[in-house]
Amino acid sequence: MNTLKRLTLAFLLTTGLSSTALLADPASAEHTDKADKKPRVSRVEKLNAELTLTEDQKTQIAAIHKEENAALKVISDDKALDRPAKMAKNKEIRAAHAAKIRALLTPDQQTKFDALAAKPSDKEKSDDKH
């Protein structure tokens, strides 16, 4: 009788734990992780925080970023290019678009923009650690 009780208890515990695992929603676990992260700030908002952009500058810079993203996607999707070639083209695209943005800025903003460009980004810092 004692063995029967133990087997029944073991069976109930096993089925209870396994059903709990099956019913757990993996998306809710991912959602919790994402909720802990800071909301993503647009590149225009980051520049505005540093440079105090006018509304016209914000609009024009947003359009430049959109154009840049489209050009970067074309390079990313190009199967004929190897990784070093893609990286070189991406660097050219970014430099060209940075020049377009710089041309929109006042001399004071340009000085601040140049200082921002010289400073390594958070992504570059994390890449250096690996």
Side-chain angles (χ1 to χ4, degrees):
M1 185 73 165
N2 199 10
T3 306
L4 183 59
K5 285 182 183 177
R6 286 185 184 180
L7 286 174
T8 304
L9 182 59
F11 174 77
L12 291 174
L13 284 173
T14 304
T15 56
L17 291 175
S18 63
S19 64
T20 303
L22 289 173
L23 294 176
D25 183 8
S28 67
E30 289 176 20
H31 180 68
T32 305
D33 292 341
K34 289 180 184 176
D36 294 339
K37 294 181 182 178
K38 291 187 277 184
R40 187 173 183 145
V41 179
S42 78
R43 291 163 56 187
V44 175
E45 289 171 347
K46 287 179 185 177
L47 277 178
N48 185 44
E50 297 289 333
L51 306 178
T52 315
L53 302 169
T54 65
E55 289 303 315
D56 189 42
Q57 286 173 321
K58 288 179 193 177
T59 303
Q60 291 177 354
I61 290 171
I64 291 170
H65 285 310
K66 188 174 182 178
E67 177 185 298
E68 178 184 11
N69 289 339
L72 292 172
K73 177 148 178 40
V74 169
I75 300 302
S76 175
D77 293 343
D78 189 346
K79 304 295 183 205
L81 296 174
D82 62 357
R83 183 170 167 80
K86 286 182 180 186
M87 290 174 68
K89 289 230 183 228
N90 286 347
K91 189 173 183 178
E92 289 173 18
I93 290 168
R94 286 192 174 98
H97 286 86
K100 287 182 181 181
I101 291 171
R102 192 177 188 285
L104 297 173
L105 304 175
T106 65
D108 184 45
Q109 288 173 324
Q110 287 177 349
T111 303
K112 292 177 184 177
F113 182 77
D114 294 342
L116 287 173
K119 187 171 75 172
S121 70
D122 292 339
K123 184 178 184 323
E124 289 170 343
K125 288 177 190 175
S126 68
D127 288 347
D128 290 343
K129 292 178 183 177
H130 296 289

